[in-house]
Amino acid sequence: QVQLLESGGGLVQAGGSLRLSCSASGRTFSSYPMGWFRQAPGKEREFVAANKWSGDNAYYADSVKGRFRFSRDDAKNTVYLQMNSLKPEDTAVYYCAARGSNLFDVSWLSMPSRYNYWGQGTQVTVSS
């Protein structure tokens, strides 16, 4: 059974930093897309960052480009999201996602419906 477990969320002041972690179990995803999404209250789930496989360049939403960094550690079967210069508008529940197939189009990376596995989410709150 595949499980994704996020950690690292919390309350931080604007301008601060957090690092989210997502540990996968049940299978490895080094050759498959993995990403981070977020959902604020009353809003749809939106893409944050992802890459197609381990070692690939990461893709970012315009709203986080230059502030967030996506990375993977294959030895730990874990992905990370380093979040710097946080803003109040970054407040949301952050979800880790993985796709169980490496048959895909790069345009799918930002689409929640193209991911098969999801974590339970971790809350990030940025105070002004």
Side-chain angles (χ1 to χ4, degrees):
Q1 182 180 359
V2 174
Q3 287 190 320
L4 303 179
L5 183 62
E6 302 100 333
S7 62
L11 173 64
V12 64
Q13 288 189 329
S17 298
L18 285 174
R19 188 177 82 152
L20 305 183
S21 301
C22 171
S23 178
S25 60
R27 65 177 286 180
T28 59
F29 289 97
S30 59
S31 300
Y32 301 91
M34 292 193 74
W36 288 95
F37 291 77
R38 67 187 182 186
Q39 188 166 18
K43 296 188 176 181
E44 292 187 352
R45 192 166 298 188
E46 66 174 5
F47 169 73
V48 176
N51 71 0
K52 300 187 296 293
W53 48 73
S54 183
D56 181 37
N57 291 328
Y59 298 79
Y60 298 93
D62 287 343
S63 59
V64 306
K65 205 171 292 183
R67 300 188 298 121
F68 291 10
R69 190 172 77 89
F70 177 93
S71 62
R72 299 199 195 201
D73 184 333
D74 290 343
K76 297 180 179 180
N77 209 21
T78 298
V79 296
Y80 302 96
L81 186 69
Q82 177 66 44
M83 305 186 296
N84 300 324
S85 302
L86 282 161
K87 304 176 181 180
E89 51 264 43
D90 295 318
T91 295
V93 178
Y94 283 70
Y95 296 92
C96 173
R99 178 171 168 83
S101 167
N102 56 10
L103 298 177
F104 65 96
D105 186 88
V106 68
S107 64
W108 296 359
L109 286 177
S110 61
M111 298 180 183
S113 62
R114 297 297 184 177
Y115 290 81
N116 309 99
Y117 305 103
W118 291 86
Q120 83 290 346
T122 186
Q123 177 71 46
V124 172
T125 303
V126 185
S127 63
S128 57

